[in-house]
Amino acid sequence: MHGKRVLVTGGAGFIGSHLCERLLDAGHEVLCLDNYYTGSRRNVAHLLDNPDFELLRHDVTFPLFVEVDEIYNLACPASPIHYQHDPVQTTKTSVHGAINMLGLAKRRRAKIFQASTSEVYGDPTVHPQPEEYWGNVNPIGIRSCYDEGKRCAETLFFDYHRQHKLRIKVARIFNTYGPRMHPNDGRVVSNFIVQALKGQDITLYGDGDQTRSFCYVDDLVEGFLRLMGTDDDVTGPINLGNPGEFTIKALAERVITLTGSSSKLVYKPLPSDDPRQRQPNIDKARALLDWEPTVHLEAGLTKTIAYFDALLAEGAVA
């Protein structure tokens, strides 16, 4: 694994920036690509002086010609607020982006990793969700640009693998949180923390009894690296997430406690197609990667709260 030239698309994003750090620490050269739609130079500013790090502004919907050994394809807005803002572009990013990165991998004979999502399971009728479950997805709803875009990207990855013998790795990411989350991405962890730190009411959608499983970003990136390091016959898809399940209401109450906030809970109608349950079955990750999350929710939330507290102190959050 040492000394490879690695491309990370979406590398200035929340997860991508943490991945770039880990790759540099492992002795690789990293080409970080981002169009800054949801990513930020701020997330990788501390890496700019590293001679093994290069930052390139580029949109994956356009072809790219670079010399690389491995590709991590993370480029795509991942929160409903951002991916629903321009749904056509979201689909293009997932589908055209996959085609362009797979084309680059084919030309370079590079190993390529796809950051897929638990959203491919839609509003699941099977719980927890194993990789064999085909999902329950609305193909024409407001979330479809992301859900179906990611499903199509998986299709492309496996067709390139079968047709062109490309070395692929596909991970399905479940809810992930940690420092460098976008403060206005509309996700529950960032929403709740910012609202609590500001002393505002915390907004719950529906009755707050819908469940999610929250994985700290360091654990997720470790799963990425372990999957990329497996033999070529391990293609995935493999679920990466924390199987510990919490209600949204319980998460809000935990954030209030950890921030010492006086915020109150308020309830609003549940958005269209919002899944009621989301929990990964990680048996494959345990067996094939010897991986499971190690950071407990309270420890991860404490670090994430400190990050957002610093942003608010700097006036970096509206």
Side-chain angles (χ1 to χ4, degrees):
M1 275 289 290
H2 291 288
K4 288 185 170 62
R5 295 165 297 180
V6 184
L7 168 64
V8 180
T9 74
F14 157 48
I15 296 173
S17 61
H18 287 275
L19 176 60
C20 287
E21 280 181 339
R22 285 291 304 274
L23 291 167
L24 289 168
D25 289 344
H28 303 302
E29 296 178 26
V30 175
L31 173 57
C32 171
L33 181 150
D34 211 294
N35 68 350
Y36 306 129
Y37 178 61
T38 57
S40 169
R41 283 177 59 91
R42 177 193 181 103
N43 289 338
V44 293
H46 61 295
L47 303 177
L48 293 175
D49 290 336
N50 189 319
D52 291 326
F53 181 77
E54 184 179 355
L55 182 59
L56 174 65
R57 184 168 193 151
H58 183 85
D59 190 316
V60 293
T61 61
F62 297 95
L64 181 69
F65 300 91
V66 290
E67 302 291 316
V68 292
D69 303 307
E70 293 183 347
I71 302 167
Y72 287 83
N73 186 38
L74 276 62
C76 190
S79 74
I81 284 179
H82 292 139
Y83 69 62
Q84 291 171 15
H85 176 71
D86 189 347
V88 172
Q89 186 61 30
T90 296
T91 303
K92 286 181 177 179
T93 300
S94 287
V95 178
H96 291 184
I99 291 169
N100 287 329
M101 291 306 106
L102 286 162
L104 174 60
K106 181 185 171 188
R107 290 191 298 273
R108 293 294 309 148
R109 302 311 300 170
K111 188 188 303 184
I112 183 167
F113 175 103
Q114 169 66 3
S116 190
T117 173
S118 61
E119 297 294 340
V120 300
Y121 299 122
D123 189 4
T125 57
V126 173
H127 188 75
Q129 295 81 56
E131 291 86 350
E132 293 77 16
Y133 177 52
W134 290 356
N136 177 38
V137 178
N138 177 359
I140 58 171
I142 60 173
R143 301 170 69 101
S144 306
C145 57
Y146 185 69
D147 301 0
E148 296 287 35
K150 289 288 193 177
R151 285 163 70 96
C152 184
E154 285 196 16
T155 300
L156 286 161
F157 265 69
F158 279 90
D159 283 337
Y160 265 79
H161 173 65
R162 285 184 287 258
Q163 187 172 338
H164 301 298
K165 311 302 180 189
L166 212 58
R167 294 177 295 155
I168 66 166
K169 308 290 180 182
V170 177
R172 290 177 177 163
I173 302 169
F174 283 69
N175 291 62
T176 303
Y177 71 100
R180 300 185 205 140
M181 293 184 79
H182 195 295
N184 301 312
D185 66 4
R187 301 187 202 191
V188 288
V189 173
S190 50
N191 268 10
F192 291 176
I193 290 175
V194 171
Q195 288 172 334
L197 289 172
K198 288 183 173 182
Q200 299 172 343
D201 289 340
I202 289 184
T203 307
L204 299 180
Y205 294 92
D207 55 15
D209 288 337
Q210 62 270 41
T211 65
R212 296 292 185 272
S213 305
F214 301 101
C215 184
Y216 190 66
V217 63
D218 289 355
D219 282 333
L220 182 76
V221 170
E222 177 66 24
F224 284 10
L225 297 174
R226 292 193 185 198
L227 177 55
M228 195 60 135
T230 54
D231 293 338
D232 290 348
D233 61 341
V234 179
T235 60
I238 290 183
N239 291 335
L240 293 178
N242 195 323
E245 188 177 16
F246 296 86
T247 67
I248 300 300
K249 183 178 180 182
L251 173 70
E253 291 169 344
R254 188 75 59 91
V255 168
I256 289 173
T257 299
L258 290 173
T259 56
S261 175
S262 58
S263 296
K264 306 299 182 186
L265 303 183
V266 297
Y267 296 85
K268 293 188 177 182
L270 197 66
S272 176
D273 297 330
D274 193 62
R276 292 290 306 176
Q277 290 182 304
R278 188 59 62 69
Q279 181 188 20
N281 178 320
I282 62 168
D283 288 349
K284 282 191 175 180
R286 288 188 174 114
L288 296 172
L289 311 181
D290 190 26
W291 176 90
E292 63 182 345
T294 61
V295 179
H296 294 291
L297 182 64
E298 188 160 319
L301 284 176
T302 299
K303 293 179 181 179
T304 309
I305 288 166
Y307 170 76
F308 280 112
D309 198 25
L311 284 187
L312 286 165
E314 296 172 17
V317 179

